[in-house]
Amino acid sequence: MIKNYLKIAWRNLARNKISSLINIGGLAIGMAVSFMLLVYVYNEYSFDKFHVNGDRLYQVFKNQPTNGEIRTKWFTPQLLAGALKKDIPEIANAGRINEPKNVLIAYNSKGLKFNAVAMDAGILNMFSFDFMQGNKRSALSDVSSVILTESAAKAIFGNTNPLGQTVKYNNQFPMKVSAIIKDNPGNSSFTFKAIISWDAFLSQQPWLKGENWDNYGYATYVLLKPNASAAAVNIKIKDLIGRYFPPDKEVKLFMYPFTQLHLHGDFKNGVNVGGRISYLRLFLFLAIGILVIACINFMNLSTARSEKRAREVGIRKAIGARRTALIKQFMGESLLLAFAAFILSLILILVLTPVFADLTGIMLNIPYGNVWVWLTALTATAVTGLFAGSYPALFLSSFNPVRVLKGRFFSTETTVRPRQVLVIIQFTFAICLVVFSFFVHRQINYIKELPIGYNRNGLIELPADGAMFDKFDSFRQEALSAGAITDAASISEPITKITSATWQNRWPGQLPGEEKTPIDCIAVTYHMLNTYQIKIIEGRDFATDRLSDSTAVILNEAAVKLMKLKDPVGQKITWMNAGRTIIGVAKNFVWGSPYDAVRPTIIGFTKGWVGNIGMRLNPSNSVSKNIQLLQDIYKKYNPTYPFDYTFTDESFNQKFKTEQQLGAMAVIFTCLAIIISGLGLFGLASFSAERRGKEISIRKILGAGTAGLWLKLSQEFIKLVLISFVIGAAISWYNVNRWLNTYTYHTNVTIWVFAATLFLSIALCLVAVSWQAIKAALVNPVKSLRSE
């Protein structure tokens, strides 16, 4: 019997090649897209989940009141880890990691830059690092030891055994390679390539050894004991800083699960408000939605062809076939098509994965070797086949044998309405995607076009490595003389990534408690405002001919507003525990998130705190010529270090990475949803035209023109699209408004986007059905009426 069913299924596929191709192709596209999205969701959900102790790992955060709100940051004092281990019995271990930094590691005459960190030795036992060579217990016991990842060791030593080899860390500290670990997985928060011990870090920067609790610059991680309560520990550590350092008693500590930070890492006013998880839920919804519309296509196309198989069902029932046997037969055929679509979807995934990576910047890590993934995919395929085939099977098996053998196949009321509902659901989903895609791109463009307060075009930045720290002035002068730049300045951090802040600042008219307000700060020397083209609205810039400017500061407008200073220029404030004179007020400029309001910022003259160089390229030359000139001059002063520059506009655009990825994915999957929906309409239109062949012929004989027949055949589908648009527009209006309101600065919901979506939907409908409608209208009526 099974063999007989397979033969019947194959004959049906062969006899209806076009409809079978549309059925399998539409389902395959839907499955491929859905599986790719599910792989992305899986990759994101499994982020940092590979650590054996993941359920007991936490990162410590601080909540700090500032300017009427609570700011949450991961920066904590380096003394905190030791205090946690000593004071909190529920903590099995605690350790520190400094902020990752690109460091030059030199071997013989070869120098390469790698992302490096310093950490306590206990961190190696808290997290799961895979040691390939060396001993985990002793890898960081020596202050002159360094651990490298497999890729870093390969890049430095090639095929030579790296263990025991001596390298120059940061091109000045001799260190021996004590261990090699495997590179961190792509779904890991740790991206470093080299590790040194905390003692080595302190020995290289001796001024940090005696620092107190007021330097918040390090990450602190905690491993709880088994069965310890995180809530109880959070209560105990909340006021820990205040006990050790009373001036910062307003700073409150809490732990958050490390493995949840990737998806739930956003905090607002001291409360976790989610994070990437909202996008992950959206993509999960997209995956299910696209698979559902592909299944709807399958249902519609299968039931639309019911007339072709009505007599088959009637004869089978007449000779004794039970309905359950017919349901099994049709469900089996549906499963056969689903698995054929699954095989085709695997081919599509192989083809589309590189394209997806190019368009979105997201490289999908497809776990081909994971048995559970294959079982899940096969189960999903079987469920898809059963879901997609359920309605056609129930529908086809319900035919009355007497009626169908007399030629009365079905009632319009029982066959058209369910199919119309399915088409409406399908197009409602597609319309929601189109509207959302429009507004994602409008929001990104809106934020990008907001003034940022400085000119990022033609601006490059590079770290002040090696000799650049001491020889910057000579380098700058030679670059100016060569005509490569119009100006250059040293600055504490790249302008797009400023993280420094100070408190205990004092100003005239300060209210009690305001000295605890953290204010962001930038350490600069001369020429910074001119290089970045930040506008001075009061006072002046730092001047090389005024020695007193070494104790001067410039405030931005937000800082003046915070301090409530009416005539700020010339007034005295305390910054960095020293008296400072305000010499100017700069127009607000964006250095943090472009989605948030500009924060109060102090720009202070400090020569010993610079780690970055900003340079404005000469617009009279080509960019390539300027870069070549700068590289030659740089190598003259700093021969060991690579000329590792970045364009500031590219760094700024990285701030929109998440939204750009969301926009790219929304466009891709919107287009695919439209293609799937279009395939369904095309198939339904062909069956509609086939069913109404005699009606069309009679209308032509009675004088109906091609245009009138085209309109008659198309209007049924246009009505469905209009109904879908009304539902989809209402859903989109509500959800887009909610999404936009999560941003401080956002575009408005405009009618023209919905009008454009309506036009696009109708155009798609007409494109999908017109060819079949016109083809049917041009058929010779005599040929159709002679068919019997």
Side-chain angles (χ1 to χ4, degrees):
M1 185 63 72
I2 294 174
K3 183 179 178 181
N4 184 48
Y5 285 164
L6 288 173
K7 281 184 179 180
I8 294 171
W10 174 253
R11 287 169 183 168
N12 274 312
L13 290 174
R15 186 166 60 247
N16 304 294
K17 294 181 180 64
I18 294 177
S19 63
S20 299
L21 184 62
I22 292 173
N23 241 353
I24 295 175
L27 196 56
I29 293 172
M31 291 173 75
V33 173
S34 183
F35 288 160
M36 287 174 68
L37 278 169
L38 290 174
V39 167
Y40 172 73
V41 170
Y42 170 78
N43 287 344
E44 288 289 291
Y45 182 75
S46 61
F47 218 89
D48 288 326
K49 297 291 196 308
F50 61 92
H51 296 287
V52 175
N53 298 320
D55 60 330
R56 295 191 286 136
L57 284 171
Y58 292 80
Q59 184 169 3
V60 181
F61 286 80
K62 67 182 179 74
N63 278 333
Q64 188 164 14
T66 172
N67 202 17
E69 64 175 3
I70 296 175
R71 191 184 298 183
T72 302
K73 295 289 184 181
W74 58 265
F75 304 110
T76 54
Q78 69 154 317
L79 300 179
L80 177 62
L84 289 171
K85 284 193 290 186
K86 180 172 69 74
D87 295 351
I88 313 299
E90 292 91 341
I91 291 178
N93 207 343
R96 303 159 288 188
I97 299 181
N98 71 335
E99 192 171 5
K101 182 182 179 182
N102 284 330
V103 171
L104 185 80
I105 298 179
Y107 176 69
N108 293 335
S109 59
K110 188 178 187 179
L112 295 173
K113 271 196 166 184
F114 295 101
N115 196 261
V117 295
M119 63 172 63
D120 287 313
I123 293 284
L124 298 177
N125 296 315
M126 294 165 60
F127 295 89
S128 298
F129 299 115
D130 192 350
F131 276 72
M132 302 175 66
Q133 291 181 264
N135 190 318
K136 182 193 295 188
R137 293 182 180 179
S138 60
L140 292 180
S141 59
D142 190 341
V143 73
S144 62
S145 295
V146 60
I147 300 173
L148 298 177
T149 63
E150 184 181 13
S151 63
K154 183 74 175 176
I156 297 170
F157 301 102
N159 295 323
T160 305
N161 183 9
L163 211 62
Q165 300 286 348
T166 300
V167 297
K168 278 192 175 181
Y169 186 85
N170 210 13
N171 200 37
Q172 53 183 320
F173 303 105
M175 306 190 83
K176 282 188 178 182
V177 179
S178 60
I180 305 297
I181 60 173
K182 282 192 176 180
D183 286 87
N184 293 307
N187 58 348
S188 171
S189 297
F190 296 136
T191 58
F192 51 77
K193 300 291 183 182
I195 307 171
I196 62 172
S197 69
W198 198 264
D199 288 339
F201 171 63
L202 294 180
S203 68
Q204 293 170 15
Q205 301 177 84
W207 59 88
L208 294 176
K209 287 185 178 180
E211 73 171 8
N212 210 322
W213 283 80
D214 57 350
N215 185 353
Y216 293 78
Y218 314 99
T220 302
Y221 297 95
V222 163
L223 177 68
L224 294 185
K225 292 179 179 178
N227 302 318
S229 167
V233 173
N234 271 333
I235 293 172
K236 291 183 179 182
I237 71 171
K238 184 178 180 181
D239 297 310
L240 187 67
I241 287 184
R243 294 202 297 270
Y244 281 93
F245 191 64
D248 284 354
K249 64 182 180 181
E250 299 295 327
V251 178
K252 306 300 181 183
L253 298 177
F254 70 94
M255 301 183 311
Y256 198 82
F258 174 74
T259 56
Q260 294 184 28
L261 282 171
H262 180 70
L263 297 180
H264 302 268
D266 289 352
F267 296 86
K268 189 172 183 179
N269 209 23
V271 177
N272 186 273
V273 291
R276 295 174 67 91
I277 187 65
S278 58
Y279 295 123
L280 207 63
R281 288 171 183 149
L282 173 63
F283 294 137
L284 184 60
F285 170 74
L286 276 176
I288 296 171
I290 288 174
L291 191 58
V292 166
I293 66 171
C295 291
I296 287 173
N297 263 2
F298 186 94
M299 293 178 182
N300 276 339
L301 296 176
S302 297
T303 54
R305 294 206 62 85
S306 58
E307 187 172 338
K308 295 283 186 181
R309 304 192 68 176
R311 285 193 175 88
E312 174 194 339
V313 172
I315 292 170
R316 283 180 175 276
K317 281 194 168 184
I319 61 176
R322 294 181 178 274
R323 187 180 182 187
T324 52
L326 292 170
I327 290 174
K328 288 179 183 177
Q329 177 193 341
F330 293 129
M331 291 293 278
E333 291 179 10
S334 174
L335 285 170
L336 182 65
L337 288 177
F339 279 97
F342 173 67
I343 294 170
L344 181 56
S345 73
L346 294 179
I347 298 171
L348 288 173
I349 289 171
L350 290 173
V351 173
L352 293 175
T353 299
V355 179
F356 179 80
D358 290 340
L359 292 174
T360 64
I362 298 172
M363 179 58 70
L364 292 178
N365 180 25
I366 302 176
Y368 292 108
N370 191 320
V371 175
W372 288 105
V373 170
W374 282 104
L375 289 174
T376 302
L378 291 171
T379 302
T381 302
V383 171
T384 299
L386 294 172
F387 173 66
S390 58
Y391 176 63
L394 294 171
F395 176 71
L396 289 168
S397 63
S398 67
F399 287 159
N400 186 306
V402 177
R403 290 175 61 84
V404 296
L405 292 175
K406 285 182 177 181
R408 294 197 295 269
F409 300 110
F410 43 75
S411 160
T412 301
E413 290 185 359
T414 59
T415 60
V416 175
R417 286 182 181 175
R419 195 153 64 238
Q420 288 176 336
V421 171
L422 292 175
V423 169
I424 289 170
I425 293 172
Q426 185 180 53
F427 260 85
T428 297
F429 182 80
I431 286 165
C432 288
L433 280 181
V434 171
V435 172
F436 183 70
S437 297
F438 266 120
F439 278 107
V440 167
H441 285 277
R442 272 177 60 84
Q443 174 65 7
I444 293 172
N445 291 332
Y446 176 82
I447 295 295
K448 280 186 174 181
E449 290 169 5
L450 287 175
I452 64 170
Y454 67 93
N455 183 8
R456 63 182 183 270
N457 298 317
L459 192 64
I460 66 170
E461 295 183 294
L462 68 154
D465 287 329
M468 282 296 102
F469 190 83
D470 297 318
K471 298 181 180 179
F472 165 71
D473 289 334
S474 300
F475 167 77
R476 174 182 175 275
Q477 194 57 51
E478 191 164 338
L480 283 169
S481 301
I485 60 173
T486 58
D487 211 343
S490 55
I491 178 174
S492 53
E493 300 169 276
I495 197 166
T496 56
K497 299 177 182 177
I498 294 168
T499 57
S500 299
T502 60
W503 47 97
Q504 300 301 323
N505 305 299
R506 300 185 183 276
W507 56 85
Q510 188 179 69
L511 299 176
E514 285 187 332
E515 74 280 358
K516 299 171 183 175
T517 301
I519 300 178
D520 297 300
C521 61
I522 309 170
V524 303
T525 55
Y526 303 107
H527 320 293
M528 183 266 183
L529 299 185
N530 184 58
T531 300
Y532 288 89
Q533 295 182 2
I534 297 171
K535 185 179 179 182
I536 288 282
I537 57 177
E538 285 186 59
R540 60 178 177 81
D541 194 359
F542 301 107
T544 55
D545 58 351
R546 300 198 185 196
L547 295 176
S548 61
D549 281 3
S550 61
T551 59
V553 293
I554 295 172
L555 308 182
N556 71 345
E557 294 173 284
V560 173
K561 183 179 179 181
L562 171 68
M563 297 177 185
K564 305 178 185 68
L565 301 176
K566 291 185 179 180
D567 297 304
V569 176
Q571 296 201 47
K572 307 284 187 180
I573 70 168
T574 300
W575 178 67
M576 299 287 290
N577 298 316
R580 298 280 183 154
T581 302
I582 302 170
I583 63 169
V585 177
K587 190 173 181 63
N588 282 341
F589 58 94
V590 176
W591 53 259
S593 170
Y595 297 102
D596 298 332
V598 175
R599 292 175 181 166
T601 304
I602 298 173
I603 304 170
F605 189 98
T606 307
K607 274 199 168 183
W609 192 12
V610 293
N612 189 72
I613 295 170
M615 294 183 285
R616 184 158 298 282
L617 300 178
N618 188 348
S620 301
N621 301 331
S622 66
V623 173
S624 58
K625 180 181 178 181
N626 288 328
I627 295 298
Q628 187 59 54
L629 286 170
L630 287 171
Q631 186 168 3
D632 293 340
I633 299 168
Y634 183 87
K635 285 296 181 183
K636 176 182 173 182
Y637 287 94
N638 214 22
T640 309
Y641 284 81
F643 184 59
D644 190 13
Y645 66 92
T646 57
F647 285 94
T648 305
D649 56 351
E650 292 180 357
S651 299
F652 183 80
N653 288 336
Q654 284 296 307
K655 294 175 180 291
F656 306 97
K657 183 177 179 181
T658 300
E659 284 74 17
Q660 286 172 332
Q661 287 178 343
L662 175 63
M665 292 177 77
V667 168
I668 292 169
F669 297 121
T670 296
C671 292
L672 291 169
I674 288 172
I675 289 171
I676 295 170
S677 301
L679 281 174
L681 278 183
F682 179 83
L684 285 176
S686 67
F687 297 135
S688 178
E690 184 180 344
R691 266 184 51 204
R692 302 174 69 176
K694 289 185 175 62
E695 175 194 337
I696 292 168
S697 298
I698 292 170
R699 287 182 180 275
K700 286 190 74 172
I701 290 171
L702 294 176
T706 303
L709 292 171
W710 167 79
L711 182 61
K712 184 71 177 174
L713 289 169
S714 302
Q715 65 183 9
E716 173 189 347
F717 298 101
I718 292 175
K719 287 177 183 176
L720 298 180
V721 170
L722 289 174
I723 295 170
S724 302
F725 172 78
V726 172
I727 300 171
I731 295 171
S732 301
W733 186 289
Y734 174 75
N735 286 290
V736 166
N737 256 317
R738 287 185 62 190
W739 178 69
L740 289 176
N741 286 330
T742 61
Y743 296 101
T744 303
Y745 305 112
H746 59 79
T747 186
N748 296 319
V749 178
T750 51
I751 296 297
W752 75 261
V753 172
F754 293 91
T757 304
L758 177 60
F759 174 80
L760 181 65
S761 303
I762 293 175
L764 169 68
C765 174
L766 293 177
V767 168
V769 305
S770 289
W771 187 78
Q772 292 292 346
I774 294 171
K775 179 182 174 184
L778 293 175
V779 169
N780 187 336
V782 176
K783 184 178 179 180
S784 292
L785 293 174
R786 280 180 176 175
S787 62
E788 293 183 0

